[in-house]
Amino acid sequence: MASASFTQEEAELVQDTAKIALANAAKSFGKMLQDDMELEHLALHLAPSDKVKSLAINEENYFVLQTDVVGELKAKSYLIFSYDNAAEACQILLPSSLVGNPEMREAMLLEVDNIVAASVVTKYADILNRQITGHVPEILRYDRTKLKNIISEGLQESPDFSFTVSFKGVKSNITAEFVCFFTDMFSHTISECAPLAETSQMVEANKSDSDLASILGKVRNVINRILGG
């Protein structure tokens, strides 16, 4: 499925890379929580005019972990927890003696974001052969209206590509939203990489990675339902 910004070949690379990166993030997130993380409401926005139609931003207040991706590709990601989901994650990840410590709770949420964002960045760096890294994240607090406005503005201003997805625990009740906006050089990088044999080889190697295969199949099914709908 091509867009106004990408040829068919380029759009397939965009979609494959996103699938692999998010499967890697789900694997890492699940390992932290000792749970299997499923991906829901996944939407790839291949043009700035695409509208937010996926995230479940229904609670009143949120912790937002913001990470700037820097280097040869630039992006901004947001890992979003409602207050209830943040509290449950900290219950799982922190010793009981530290659960009530606000500084330790925030530090743990930042560590979760470090791992999730790094999992995404690693796969983009590998597949597109670019030097990129996640900058030190920061933790923000937004109410529902402010958060929706920030995401909507990001989708409108992102000139190349963005995606939104929900991570959901199988055994726990934890849900987290993840949003990423690529803001510079993404289209140029995709047009350079899409024709290269080594790019195709890297994509296929990641698709066949046994650690990612099961999650990747689920990600692919979600995307196919969206594109087919």
Side-chain angles (χ1 to χ4, degrees):
M1 179 180 179
S3 74
S5 302
F6 300 104
T7 66
Q8 182 70 33
E9 181 182 45
E10 292 166 357
E12 288 175 0
L13 176 58
V14 171
Q15 291 164 16
D16 282 343
T17 306
K19 294 172 192 176
I20 291 165
L22 288 169
N24 196 46
K27 182 188 75 170
S28 299
F29 198 1
K31 189 174 182 179
M32 276 194 85
L33 295 172
Q34 298 182 338
D35 193 359
D36 293 323
M37 300 303 293
E38 294 186 340
L39 296 163
E40 297 184 335
H41 312 301
L42 176 59
L44 307 181
H45 305 279
L46 299 177
S49 59
D50 286 353
K51 303 296 184 184
V52 177
K53 53 188 176 184
S54 58
L55 293 182
I57 305 296
N58 301 315
E59 302 298 324
E60 288 301 322
N61 296 290
Y62 292 86
F63 289 107
V64 180
L65 294 309
Q66 178 183 304
T67 301
D68 289 329
V69 177
V70 296
E72 294 181 85
L73 280 178
K74 292 181 174 59
K76 188 183 294 289
S77 73
Y78 300 89
L79 182 62
I80 303 163
F81 287 96
S82 70
Y83 279 18
D84 286 345
N85 277 296
E88 184 163 351
C90 289
Q91 287 277 356
I92 294 171
L93 294 169
L94 285 171
S96 56
S97 60
L98 298 178
V99 168
N101 184 318
E103 291 183 358
M104 290 304 300
R105 288 160 69 103
E106 290 194 4
M108 181 52 68
L109 293 176
L110 287 167
E111 182 60 20
V112 173
D113 180 67
N114 263 328
I115 289 172
V116 172
S119 298
V120 170
V121 167
T122 295
K123 289 305 176 184
Y124 274 95
D126 287 348
I127 293 171
L128 301 179
N129 193 27
R130 292 296 187 271
Q131 295 293 320
I132 57 176
T133 186
H135 205 267
V136 177
E138 60 179 321
I139 189 166
L140 307 165
R141 293 177 179 80
Y142 292 131
D143 63 23
R144 177 174 55 194
T145 301
K146 178 66 173 176
L147 179 56
K148 285 186 173 182
N149 287 341
I150 286 172
I151 295 171
S152 295
E153 289 168 7
L155 286 173
Q156 292 297 321
E157 293 171 2
S158 178
D160 289 341
F161 172 63
S162 56
F163 61 74
T164 59
V165 69
S166 299
F167 294 103
K168 182 176 177 59
V170 173
K171 294 180 288 187
S172 67
N173 293 319
I174 293 174
T175 299
E177 315 291 347
F178 189 68
V179 184
C180 190
F181 306 119
F182 288 86
T183 57
D184 187 34
M185 294 298 291
F186 187 79
S187 292
H188 179 70
T189 298
I190 292 296
S191 66
E192 282 190 345
C193 293
L196 300 178
E198 52 262 43
T199 303
S200 297
Q201 291 166 2
M202 184 64 74
V203 168
E204 291 307 314
N206 277 278
K207 285 181 178 180
S208 61
D209 182 339
S210 60
D211 287 340
L212 294 180
S214 175
I215 301 172
L216 186 55
K218 295 176 183 177
V219 176
R220 190 180 299 113
N221 289 340
V222 172
I223 289 183
N224 288 339
R225 285 202 305 271
I226 293 168
L227 296 181

